[in-house]
Amino acid sequence: MVSPLTTQIDAGTLRPTIPLPMRMTTRNAVAVLVACAAVASGACKRKPQGPDVPALIADLKSEDPEKKGKASLALIGVGEPAGPALAGMLKSDNPAHRLTAASTLFGMGAKGRAAVPALADALSDPDREMRIAAAMALESIGPDAAAAVPALVTALKDKEGIVRQRVAIALGSIGPAAQAAIPALVEAGRWDPVRPAVDEAIAKIRAR
């Protein structure tokens, strides 16, 4: 960055390109130029601050749908650094907050991997919609959600068919890393009306 006090050298004489006080000596002028250059250099080196994740999480809990929607999109854009905060929000006592966190993690995809343990716990949430949202978020995370396979296997016995369906889809999305789930999927496919999802999941897990 060029300082507004840039000087010119003419015939061995250092002269400022802007007027200086009559009594300012060349040595003083040089000192001023050096100081300004140091300030400018420091400004250039300062890195812009990233998004304020805690503030965005606060907005995500807002009752204002517009503010909440903007915060969700912003957190999806932040990606991986927002994962731990969203995982914490999954533990909220407020069902709406838990559901919003899971929905945001769904939009984040694999960048939400830090929340896998919390999402696995959410598969046993008393709220059916939350269990569905947790399974969908794990599906979106994909192979990086392998740690949730045991919880997903347990959720294959959920009393709600839509939950079992989303769980089977999530296992298929995890792929070969969900190999341990095949026996449970086979068992579920023998009687479960969501058998098409089960068969597709098994095919994806066995794919190489």
Side-chain angles (χ1 to χ4, degrees):
M1 179 180 293
V2 179
S3 168
L5 296 177
T6 302
T7 59
Q8 296 177 342
I9 297 177
D10 183 17
T13 302
L14 183 67
R15 297 186 302 168
T17 57
I18 64 173
L20 293 172
M22 291 295 294
R23 294 182 180 179
M24 182 174 283
T25 65
T26 299
R27 180 176 297 177
N28 289 341
V30 171
V32 170
L33 293 170
V34 170
C36 290
V39 171
S41 176
C44 290
K45 290 180 180 179
R46 284 197 294 268
K47 295 181 179 179
Q49 292 183 343
D52 187 343
V53 172
L56 290 172
I57 291 292
D59 286 348
L60 196 62
K61 297 176 181 178
S62 171
E63 296 296 328
D64 181 345
E66 183 177 357
K67 180 181 287 188
K68 183 187 297 185
K70 289 181 178 179
S72 180
L73 289 174
L75 287 164
I76 290 172
V78 170
E80 199 163 353
L86 288 168
M89 192 169 165
L90 287 171
K91 304 291 187 180
S92 171
D93 291 334
N94 188 320
H97 292 172
R98 299 198 301 271
L99 190 58
T100 301
S103 298
T104 301
L105 285 163
F106 172 79
M108 197 176 290
K111 293 180 179 179
R113 61 179 65 87
V116 167
L119 287 168
D121 290 342
L123 290 170
S124 59
D125 194 281
D127 181 7
R128 184 191 76 158
E129 297 306 313
M130 183 60 210
R131 300 197 301 276
I132 293 172
M136 291 179 67
L138 290 168
E139 171 199 347
S140 181
I141 292 171
D144 286 333
V149 168
L152 287 165
V153 167
T154 299
L156 280 173
K157 297 179 180 179
D158 193 282
K159 63 181 180 180
E160 299 287 347
I162 183 62
V163 175
R164 297 194 301 273
Q165 181 185 50
R166 298 312 313 189
V167 165
I169 293 172
L171 286 166
S173 179
I174 291 172
Q179 192 76 24
I182 288 182
L185 284 165
V186 170
E187 182 64 25
R190 289 178 179 173
W191 58 272
D192 203 313
V194 297
R195 181 171 180 174
V198 168
D199 291 343
E200 184 177 353
I202 291 173
K204 288 182 176 180
I205 292 170
R206 286 177 173 166
R208 296 295 180 182

